[in-house]
């Protein structure tokens, strides 16, 4: 019986994708990063999860994005990732950017949610144990906490860097005013915020109302999640509603009415994409990457083919003025 060969990464991986500087920091991120929100839970196919990570890394995607409560159940994506890291990526640890977050509900009681120092400190310790890591490369506060003083939350992020449990820190889902306050606190503490992770796609453009300008002026990078609007910006719904789709199953993040409301826009955008020799999904990603204030786009994948398809989006991020005008007319109306 032949012994299984250890995973050896593609030697040409760094020629397959471009890297962008994260704000004013020394950190470069690939234009696409792989999010582990879905498909890495306890009941998901472990072999498929391994293949997804290998495919990403073989194509130069060095950044894997997690959070404490990714799964299901909560924590299981980090546990799965830790097993794959040990099995396949141990020798490549210094080539990887591994990020995690805390800020949403994780465990029962008053210390398992939001932004207290108690919660963030315990959460990162748990994440490190699940992934069998000494440190994460980026640790985020996942969402603003309206009740905890921002000084306490940012002070916890600063502490994690000083303890060596995180190299860099970021925030996610913060509106411009609160983000600006967080940046100032962290700057004064000597641990600058290097990255902000907002939702951004053709249908959800709130970041254009002050946040992107703030990030540029503050020297902070941006990594965008949900670039395909939970699958609406793909060809999945163009010819109807597949029975196995999130919309039909009434996911908390997408329902049938949302898709039907957007369907005329989806079809019109698909025509522009076709004229660019891109799929709608590729154009949706390219459209975000056209802005050099964006450091990276977070993609999710259930199949390796989806990663390879998304990578093609990085080959053409130029849009003519006419294309942009047509896209805006479709989306805004």
């Amino acid at each position: 019986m032949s012994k299984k060969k250890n995973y050896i990464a593609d030697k040409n991986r760094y020629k397959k994708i471009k890297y962008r500087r994260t704000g004013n920091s020394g950190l470069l991120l690939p234009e696409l990063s792989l999010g582990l929100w879905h498909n890495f839970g306890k009941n998901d196919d472990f072999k498929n999860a391994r293949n997804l990570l290998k495919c990403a890394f073989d194509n130069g995607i060095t950044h894997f994005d997690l959070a404490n409560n990714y799964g299901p159940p909560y924590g299981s994506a980090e546990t799965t990732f830790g097993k794959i890291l040990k099995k396949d990526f141990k020798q490549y640890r210094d080539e990887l950017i591994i990020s995690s977050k805390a800020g949403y509900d994780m465990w029962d009681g008053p210390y398992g949610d939001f932004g207290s120092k108690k919660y963030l400190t315990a959460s990162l310790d748990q994440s490190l144990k699940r992934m069998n890591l000494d440190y994460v490369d980026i640790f985020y506060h996942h969402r603003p906490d309206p009740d905890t003083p921002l000084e306490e939350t940012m002070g916890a992020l600063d502490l994690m860097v000083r303890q060596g449990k995180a190299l860099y820190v970021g925030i996610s889902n913060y509106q411009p005013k609160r983000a600006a306050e967080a940046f100032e606190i962290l700057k004064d503490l000597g641990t600058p915020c290097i990255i902000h992770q907002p939702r951004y796609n053709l249908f959800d453009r709130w970041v254009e109302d002050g946040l992107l300008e703030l990030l540029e002026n503050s020297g902070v990078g941006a990594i965008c999640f949900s670039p395909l609007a939970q699958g609406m910006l793909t060809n999945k719904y163009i010819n109807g509603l597949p029975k196995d789709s999130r919309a039909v199953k009434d996911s908390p993040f997408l329902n049938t009415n949302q898709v039907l409301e957007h369907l005329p826009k989806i079809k019109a955008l698909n025509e522009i994409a076709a004229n660019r020799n891109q799929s709608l999904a590729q154009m949706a990603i390219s459209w975000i990457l056209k802005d050099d204030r964006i450091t990276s786009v977070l993609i999710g994948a259930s199949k390796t083919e989806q990663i390879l398809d998304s990578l093609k989006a990085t080959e053409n991020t130029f849009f003519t003025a006419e294309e942009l005008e047509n896209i805006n007319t479709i989306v805004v109306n």
Side-chain angles (χ1 to χ4, degrees):
M1 190 168 152
S2 61
K3 190 179 177 183
K4 286 187 178 178
K5 290 182 180 177
N6 292 333
Y7 165 64
I8 303 294
D10 190 309
K11 64 180 181 180
N12 295 315
R13 57 192 177 278
Y14 292 116
K15 297 174 183 173
K16 297 182 181 183
I17 197 169
K18 299 185 192 80
Y19 298 82
R20 297 187 181 189
R21 187 162 300 280
T22 311
N24 289 340
S25 78
L27 187 66
L28 299 175
L29 290 181
E31 289 186 334
L32 298 183
S33 298
L34 184 65
L36 278 67
W37 184 19
H38 299 294
N39 307 306
F40 290 83
K42 187 176 181 181
N43 295 324
D44 289 308
D45 186 327
F46 183 76
K47 184 179 179 183
N48 185 56
R50 284 179 76 185
N51 287 338
L52 291 172
L53 291 172
K54 289 176 186 177
C55 176
F57 191 57
D58 279 340
N59 285 280
I61 296 175
T62 53
H63 180 207
F64 300 139
D65 179 86
L66 299 104
N68 56 355
N69 62 358
Y70 288 176
Y74 290 172
S76 59
E78 289 184 330
T79 300
T80 296
F81 179 73
K83 289 175 182 174
I84 297 170
L85 190 69
K86 184 178 180 182
K87 202 177 276 279
D88 299 313
F89 291 95
K90 207 170 182 182
Q91 64 176 318
Y92 299 112
R93 172 63 184 102
D94 293 335
E95 296 183 42
L96 298 177
I97 301 298
I98 301 167
S99 59
S100 194
K101 319 175 198 74
Y104 283 94
D105 61 302
M106 180 61 191
W107 63 84
D108 292 338
Y111 316 119
D113 200 353
F114 275 114
S116 71
K117 186 182 222 176
K118 170 76 173 170
Y119 170 46
L120 296 184
T121 302
S123 181
L124 179 54
D125 284 345
Q126 290 180 17
S127 291
L128 293 175
K129 283 178 185 173
R130 281 190 290 268
M131 295 187 282
N132 196 27
L133 291 172
D134 297 322
Y135 67 93
V136 291
D137 296 277
I138 305 172
F139 186 73
Y140 295 87
H141 185 224
H142 209 164
R143 65 165 168 176
D145 180 346
D147 299 316
T148 300
L150 199 54
E151 289 80 4
E152 178 178 339
T153 303
M154 295 304 112
L157 296 184
D158 171 64
L159 176 66
M160 289 159 184
V161 171
R162 295 183 187 281
Q163 289 178 333
K165 294 175 182 177
L167 299 186
Y168 302 95
V169 295
I171 58 175
S172 180
N173 297 306
Y174 274 60
Q175 294 289 325
K177 185 175 182 295
R178 196 78 164 153
E181 292 169 2
F183 297 161
E184 278 303 310
I185 294 167
L186 284 169
K187 185 179 177 184
D188 290 344
L189 289 169
T191 299
C193 178
I194 70 155
I195 196 162
H196 186 303
Q197 187 173 134
R199 182 196 305 272
Y200 186 34
N201 57 58
L202 278 160
F203 292 150
D204 189 352
R205 297 171 64 168
W206 72 271
V207 301
E208 296 171 11
D209 191 19
L211 183 67
L212 288 177
E213 186 180 358
L214 170 68
L215 298 182
E216 183 178 27
N217 294 337
S218 305
V220 177
I223 179 167
C224 305
F225 70 90
S226 200
L228 305 181
Q230 295 296 316
M232 283 197 292
L233 290 166
T234 68
N235 60 10
K236 184 183 289 185
Y237 298 107
I238 287 172
N239 298 313
L241 294 160
K243 289 180 182 177
D244 63 343
S245 65
R246 277 184 208 167
V248 171
K249 291 177 181 176
D250 265 352
S251 152
F253 305 101
L254 187 66
N255 60 51
T256 304
N257 289 338
Q258 282 174 285
V259 174
L260 293 175
E261 180 189 332
H262 284 88
L263 201 52
K265 297 179 181 181
I266 293 168
K267 289 182 175 180
L269 289 169
N270 189 57
E271 287 184 23
I272 296 177
N275 289 331
R276 287 171 53 83
N277 294 315
Q278 288 183 315
S279 67
L280 177 54
Q282 288 166 354
M283 185 181 80
I285 292 169
S286 298
W287 180 84
I288 299 173
L289 286 170
K290 77 184 185 310
D291 191 330
D292 58 15
R293 293 173 295 185
I294 305 298
T295 312
S296 186
V297 172
L298 262 174
I299 60 167
S302 58
K303 303 171 185 172
T304 55
E305 291 82 7
Q306 292 168 331
I307 296 174
L308 299 174
D309 188 66
S310 295
L311 280 160
K312 292 175 185 172
T314 65
E315 296 169 8
N316 180 16
T317 59
F318 174 77
F319 287 76
T320 65
E322 185 183 5
E323 284 174 330
L324 292 175
E325 187 179 341
N326 290 339
I327 287 170
N328 285 336
T329 301
I330 292 165
V331 172
V332 174
N333 289 344

